[in-house]
Short mmCIF file of all heavy atoms in Angstrom, two decimals:
data_model
loop_
_atom_site.label_atom_id
_atom_site.label_comp_id
_atom_site.label_asym_id
_atom_site.label_seq_id
_atom_site.Cartn_x
_atom_site.Cartn_y
_atom_site.Cartn_z
N HIS S 253 6.30 18.74 10.25
CA HIS S 253 5.61 18.10 11.37
C HIS S 253 6.60 17.56 12.40
O HIS S 253 7.69 17.12 12.03
CB HIS S 253 4.74 16.93 10.88
CG HIS S 253 3.71 17.33 9.88
ND1 HIS S 253 2.52 17.94 10.22
CD2 HIS S 253 3.70 17.20 8.52
CE1 HIS S 253 1.81 18.17 9.12
NE2 HIS S 253 2.50 17.74 8.08
N ALA S 306 2.56 -9.32 8.16
CA ALA S 306 2.93 -7.98 7.67
C ALA S 306 4.43 -7.87 7.40
O ALA S 306 5.26 -8.34 8.17
CB ALA S 306 2.53 -6.94 8.72
N GLY S 316 5.01 -17.76 1.88
CA GLY S 316 4.84 -18.94 2.72
C GLY S 316 3.73 -18.80 3.74
O GLY S 316 3.34 -19.76 4.38
N TYR S 327 -7.23 -11.59 -5.55
CA TYR S 327 -6.70 -12.54 -6.53
C TYR S 327 -7.82 -13.14 -7.38
O TYR S 327 -7.63 -13.39 -8.58
CB TYR S 327 -5.93 -13.66 -5.82
CG TYR S 327 -4.54 -13.28 -5.35
CD1 TYR S 327 -4.05 -11.98 -5.50
CD2 TYR S 327 -3.71 -14.23 -4.75
CE1 TYR S 327 -2.78 -11.64 -5.06
CE2 TYR S 327 -2.43 -13.90 -4.33
CZ TYR S 327 -1.97 -12.61 -4.48
OH TYR S 327 -0.70 -12.28 -4.05
N THR S 356 -2.30 3.40 5.55
CA THR S 356 -2.35 4.75 6.10
C THR S 356 -1.87 4.80 7.55
O THR S 356 -1.44 5.83 8.03
CB THR S 356 -3.77 5.34 6.00
OG1 THR S 356 -4.70 4.44 6.59
CG2 THR S 356 -4.15 5.54 4.54
N THR S 359 2.04 0.67 11.45
CA THR S 359 2.43 -0.33 12.46
C THR S 359 1.18 -0.76 13.22
O THR S 359 0.15 -0.08 13.19
CB THR S 359 3.46 0.22 13.47
OG1 THR S 359 2.95 1.44 14.05
CG2 THR S 359 4.81 0.49 12.80
N ILE S 381 0.57 10.84 0.33
CA ILE S 381 -0.45 10.88 -0.73
C ILE S 381 -0.43 12.23 -1.43
O ILE S 381 -0.46 12.33 -2.67
CB ILE S 381 -1.85 10.59 -0.14
CG1 ILE S 381 -1.91 9.16 0.42
CG2 ILE S 381 -2.94 10.80 -1.19
CD1 ILE S 381 -3.08 8.90 1.37
N ALA S 383 2.08 14.32 -1.62
CA ALA S 383 3.32 14.47 -2.41
C ALA S 383 3.23 13.75 -3.75
O ALA S 383 3.66 14.27 -4.78
CB ALA S 383 4.52 13.96 -1.60
N LYS S 416 -12.46 3.46 -7.62
CA LYS S 416 -12.96 3.16 -6.27
C LYS S 416 -14.07 2.12 -6.32
O LYS S 416 -14.80 2.02 -7.30
CB LYS S 416 -13.41 4.43 -5.56
CG LYS S 416 -14.52 5.19 -6.24
CD LYS S 416 -14.86 6.46 -5.45
CE LYS S 416 -16.02 7.19 -6.12
NZ LYS S 416 -16.46 8.35 -5.37
N THR S 438 -6.97 0.12 -14.59
CA THR S 438 -5.70 0.82 -14.32
C THR S 438 -4.82 0.82 -15.55
O THR S 438 -4.30 1.87 -15.97
CB THR S 438 -4.96 0.12 -13.15
OG1 THR S 438 -5.72 0.29 -11.95
CG2 THR S 438 -3.56 0.70 -12.94
N MET S 458 10.88 -11.77 -1.92
CA MET S 458 11.98 -11.01 -1.34
C MET S 458 13.16 -11.92 -1.04
O MET S 458 12.98 -13.05 -0.61
CB MET S 458 11.54 -10.36 -0.03
CG MET S 458 10.78 -9.09 -0.16
SD MET S 458 10.61 -8.40 1.49
CE MET S 458 9.32 -7.22 1.21
#
Side-chain angles (χ1 to χ4, degrees):
H253 301 281
Y327 283 3
T356 54
T359 54
I381 295 163
K416 60 182 182 176
T438 294
M458 279 189 196

